[in-house]
């Protein structure tokens, strides 16, 4: 998975064998950094959000793309403004829980590779999320970036149901210091990858915020990638 600017769907029948050797990827990134993540193609805007993502079918397709990621200036302490509202001290996230879509997944740190791109969580683990470890931790002042796979070569993955989140929904991040960061969703939006609003998504903020990011939209067979990114905007309660 790779994010320069990081949904479940009916399985595609045609061409599965020819695509089975490809790694399902999707990405988000800004400037010299990149965060990328596994993408999925959601063929329907409806569905039961009460079902866990792993229970839904996912397409057997794959692809990679770049989209801008958090700039180095978003790292805690780099020109930080005076904190606004409730915020927590820095602490590594341990587990993400999103009741509405039955997510209960551990975190892995995402670090930069030689090309300056943030490494993706292992593509064979369907229940794992990653966070931009060089940026703010979830609950800390600033914008914390959390990326997850929407599907793999064989099944739906942790963020398969991300599209069902709506304003007012809540999710929790359990942290290494044993505190819990409670977030409330402000908005859920889908952006075309060729028109990704990097500044809006990744801009440093005076309050504690978080972004949940995965892939969405139609699968473009010509470039072997998904056309959109799904972003959930949230703030610390």
């Amino acid at each position: 998975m790779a994010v320069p600017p990081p949904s479940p769907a009916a399985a595609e029948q045609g061409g599965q064998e020819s695509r089975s050797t490809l790694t399902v990827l999707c990405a988000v990134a800004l400037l010299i950094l990149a965060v990328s993540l596994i993408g999925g193609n959601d063929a329907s805007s409806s569905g039961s959000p009460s079902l866990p993502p792993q229970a839904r079918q996912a397409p057997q397709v794959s692809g990679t793309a770049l989209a801008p990621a958090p700039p180095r200036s978003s790292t805690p302490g780099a020109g930080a403004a005076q904190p606004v509202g409730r915020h927590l001290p820095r602490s590594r996230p341990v587990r993400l829980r999103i009741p509405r879509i039955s997510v209960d997944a551990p975190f892995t740190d995402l670090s930069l590779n030689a090309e300056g791109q943030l490494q993706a969580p292992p593509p064979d683990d369907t229940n794992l999320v990653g966070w931009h470890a060089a940026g703010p931790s979830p609950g800390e002042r600033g914008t914390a970036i959390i990326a997850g796979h929407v599907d793999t070569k064989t099944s739906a993955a942790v963020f398969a149901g991300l599209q069902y989140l709506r304003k007012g929904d809540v999710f929790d991040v359990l942290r290494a210091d044993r505190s819990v960061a409670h977030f409330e969703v402000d908005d859920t939006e889908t952006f075309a990858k060729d028109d990704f609003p990097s500044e809006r998504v990744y801009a440093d903020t005076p309050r504690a915020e978080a972004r949940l990011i995965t892939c969405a939209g139609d699968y473009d067979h010509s470039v072997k990638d998904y056309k959109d990114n799904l972003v959930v905007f949230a703030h610390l309660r």
Side-chain angles (χ1 to χ4, degrees):
M1 161 182 147
V3 190
S7 334
E12 294 186 7
Q13 300 299 318
Q16 290 185 353
E17 293 184 0
S18 65
R19 297 193 299 269
S20 62
T21 59
L22 297 175
T23 303
V24 181
L25 299 175
C26 177
V28 174
L30 174 63
L31 300 179
I32 60 174
L33 299 185
V35 178
S36 62
L37 42 96
I38 304 248
N41 180 16
D42 181 19
S44 173
S45 60
S46 62
S48 172
S50 63
L51 292 176
Q54 292 81 355
R56 306 188 185 99
Q57 289 182 312
Q60 308 297 306
V61 294
S62 62
T64 61
L66 295 179
R72 294 186 185 278
S73 60
S74 69
T75 302
Q82 185 66 28
V84 172
R86 181 171 179 268
H87 62 283
L88 302 173
R90 185 171 181 80
S91 181
R92 179 176 57 84
V94 174
R95 200 161 193 93
L96 174 66
R97 291 177 177 167
I98 312 177
R100 178 171 172 80
I101 57 174
S102 303
V103 166
D104 186 351
F107 276 89
T108 186
D109 293 359
L110 301 181
S111 59
L112 298 178
N113 62 20
E115 287 71 41
Q117 295 179 324
L118 209 60
Q119 301 281 4
D124 58 347
D125 192 333
T126 61
N127 193 48
L128 185 67
V129 293
W131 73 292
H132 179 213
S137 60
E140 190 176 10
R141 190 211 67 79
T143 304
I145 303 300
I146 301 172
H149 303 315
V150 71
D151 61 21
T152 68
K153 291 182 294 184
T154 59
S155 70
V158 63
F159 276 174
L162 200 64
Q163 63 177 310
Y164 297 114
L165 292 185
R166 296 293 181 265
K167 181 177 181 178
D169 286 340
V170 297
F171 61 89
D172 297 332
V173 176
L174 284 64
R175 304 174 358 131
D177 63 1
R178 299 190 178 182
S179 66
V180 180
H182 303 285
F183 287 92
E184 180 175 336
V185 173
D186 296 314
D187 200 3
T188 300
E189 296 190 49
T190 299
F191 305 106
K193 288 184 178 179
D194 59 4
D195 191 27
F196 192 87
S198 302
E199 183 64 24
R200 179 182 172 194
V201 174
Y202 298 118
D204 195 21
T205 58
R207 66 174 182 170
E209 299 189 10
R211 307 286 185 260
L212 308 180
I213 305 176
T214 193
C215 283
D218 295 328
Y219 183 78
D220 188 334
H221 296 274
S222 64
V223 297
K224 298 182 175 64
D225 193 19
Y226 296 88
K227 295 182 177 181
D228 304 324
N229 285 126
L230 177 67
V231 181
V232 174
F233 298 81
H235 70 276
L236 187 69
R237 301 175 67 190

